Amino acid sequence: MIYDLTVIGAGPAGCATAIRAARLGAPVLLLERGRFPRQKVCGEFVSAESLELLRTLLAPRHQRLIAGAPPIGRARIFLDGAELQAEVSPPAVGVTRFELDQALWEAAGEGGVALRDHCAVHAVNRSGAIFQVSAGREIFESRAVINAAGRWSSLSSPEHRTRAAGERWIGLKAHFYEPNPPRSVDLYFFEGGYCGAQPVAQADGGGVINACAMVRSKVATGLDDVLQLHPALRARSASWEPLMVPVSTSPLVFHDPEPVRDEMIQVGDAATFVDPFVGDGISLAIRSGVLAAECAGAFVRGQCSLQDALDTYATAYEMRLSRVMRASSRLRKMLMWPVALRKPALWFLQRSPRVAKQLVRMTR
């Protein structure tokens, strides 16, 4: 069978692409190298801007994921002994990737998408008008391909692999039980990285906290060590009870957005790795996936050429999403300025809540 569209990778970006494309009438194949359910290193923060879009993608029986998710109405940054607060309005929610990825995968299958898990893609080639996607000993044929394989895969460009040889950043995550957790996303910055903490589920007498960190490998390689790197985080985490074995990922490589490569549309982290501390990775993944489905859908319906679809996606990506990437990168770099420079900036933001709120909006 020749599919209209093959999507490589079934995270939020890939599933959003597949679900939307199938609803537009395209025969879609979704390939995933792992199996569900699974844990992923992720802040597990879904901003209000994408909640309604996420609702449209989920099957009715999974709407409870959003309805029962703890609301997050405040952001707090702990740095240099100071605490900077900003309102998150309208509130975001915390949703575990363990549940969200499984729900989106099932929604794709129920929506008519052909699903193949435990199917790692190692090459994509084009022969005439048909793409050939090689996975193990199988070859799948498709009129168009969407790369949603994440920030690091067999499809990553040589340029990105070269960047990975530089300073190494590691992502770490685990869930903990905390009595009476604050309804906020809290970011603890220290020399060489940061750790975020926020509620992602309710629990008897308390809540489930997701602690997710990005740290230089020379500073720490385990989450237990990370929790000791900031005084306020060390004191807070002393009462936490672990609920899972920590998971990690590396390398974390930052680069300019690459929405199209080798005649494939790229979505989510495959297009670019957004600065995690802004907490909008899931939202941007979903939005890029829906945008990709609509652009590719015009091609498979015969309304434009493949090159026109690629150009349309690249232009729309730049207008709608790239500005968020740039704003988040600038903000993270500011928070990692030398102490002599960032202290006056933090002092100003503490006394200018409107400016702090605007900075949050710029990353959405």
Side-chain angles (χ1 to χ4, degrees):
M1 177 178 179
I2 298 178
Y3 293 91
D4 278 349
L5 188 64
T6 294
V7 182
I8 303 170
C15 283
T17 305
I19 293 168
R20 180 62 176 157
R23 289 177 182 172
L24 292 173
V28 181
L29 172 65
L30 179 58
L31 303 176
E32 165 58 36
R33 66 183 174 186
R35 285 183 174 168
F36 296 98
R38 64 183 183 189
Q39 293 286 359
K40 296 287 286 186
V41 176
C42 178
E44 302 181 330
F45 176 101
V46 183
S47 63
E49 290 81 1
S50 293
L51 280 178
E52 189 55 42
L53 182 57
L54 180 57
R55 288 189 184 95
T56 68
L57 297 172
L58 292 171
R61 61 193 177 92
H62 289 305
Q63 295 295 326
R64 59 176 179 77
L65 286 180
I66 298 176
I72 299 170
R74 185 173 47 152
R76 301 190 296 176
I77 293 176
F78 298 86
L79 177 64
D80 297 334
E83 178 182 337
L84 175 64
Q85 296 195 30
E87 182 184 9
V88 178
S89 179
V93 298
V95 180
T96 71
R97 285 288 299 274
F98 190 82
E99 293 180 293
L100 179 61
D101 286 10
Q102 175 77 42
L104 287 170
W105 174 260
E106 292 177 4
E110 293 169 16
V113 176
L115 305 178
R116 294 291 297 270
D117 61 357
H118 205 60
C119 191
V121 171
H122 56 81
V124 177
N125 299 294
R126 191 177 184 190
S127 177
I130 301 299
F131 287 89
Q132 296 179 328
V133 180
S134 301
R137 297 182 179 179
E138 296 184 271
I139 296 178
F140 304 97
E141 294 188 321
S142 178
R143 296 177 60 204
V145 175
I146 306 291
N147 177 17
R151 56 179 172 72
W152 192 256
S153 74
S154 61
L155 304 179
S156 297
S157 69
E159 294 81 7
H160 299 167
R161 293 181 180 277
T162 300
R163 288 191 185 95
E167 188 173 27
R168 188 179 174 212
W169 288 84
I170 302 173
L172 301 158
K173 177 194 117 173
H175 289 168
F176 299 87
Y177 170 82
E178 181 179 36
N180 303 314
R183 294 296 180 91
S184 59
V185 54
D186 301 328
L187 297 166
Y188 300 86
F189 280 82
F190 46 81
E191 193 65 34
Y194 64 88
C195 182
Q198 68 168 54
V200 290
Q202 309 290 343
D204 292 340
V208 178
I209 293 294
N210 175 32
C212 190
M214 189 179 86
V215 61
R216 289 188 172 98
S217 60
K218 65 183 181 182
V219 173
T221 57
L223 193 57
D224 288 342
D225 293 332
V226 167
L227 298 180
Q228 304 303 310
L229 293 174
H230 190 287
L233 180 60
R234 181 169 61 248
R236 178 180 175 182
S237 63
S239 64
W240 290 355
E241 299 175 17
L243 299 175
M244 59 173 278
V245 176
V247 292
S248 63
T249 185
S250 68
L252 305 181
V253 182
F254 298 100
H255 59 85
D256 292 333
E258 192 178 32
V260 174
R261 180 174 181 268
D262 294 339
E263 300 181 294
M264 294 183 293
I265 289 176
Q266 304 203 116
V267 298
D269 285 352
T272 191
F273 179 55
V274 65
D275 290 78
F277 88 94
V278 303
D280 220 31
I282 293 176
S283 173
L284 293 169
I286 292 171
R287 289 159 61 190
S288 66
V290 170
L291 176 61
E294 292 170 350
C295 294
F299 161 66
V300 300
R301 291 192 299 272
Q303 297 171 347
C304 67
S305 67
L306 177 59
Q307 188 58 54
D308 287 340
L310 299 177
D311 292 343
T312 299
Y313 176 76
T315 299
Y317 190 100
E318 172 63 28
M319 293 177 60
R320 302 182 194 179
L321 302 178
S322 287
R323 61 176 182 79
V324 177
M325 314 294 183
R326 288 191 290 268
S328 63
S329 179
R330 293 190 189 107
L331 186 54
R332 176 179 62 86
K333 289 175 182 177
M334 184 193 77
L335 293 171
M336 292 187 174
W337 282 347
V339 175
L341 292 176
R342 71 178 180 232
K343 273 199 170 182
L346 289 173
W347 181 89
F348 172 75
L349 291 174
Q350 281 180 298
R351 288 153 180 79
S352 307
R354 289 186 178 180
V355 176
K357 186 175 180 179
Q358 180 60 28
L359 287 176
V360 172
R361 286 188 177 277
M362 288 170 59
T363 63
R364 296 293 178 264

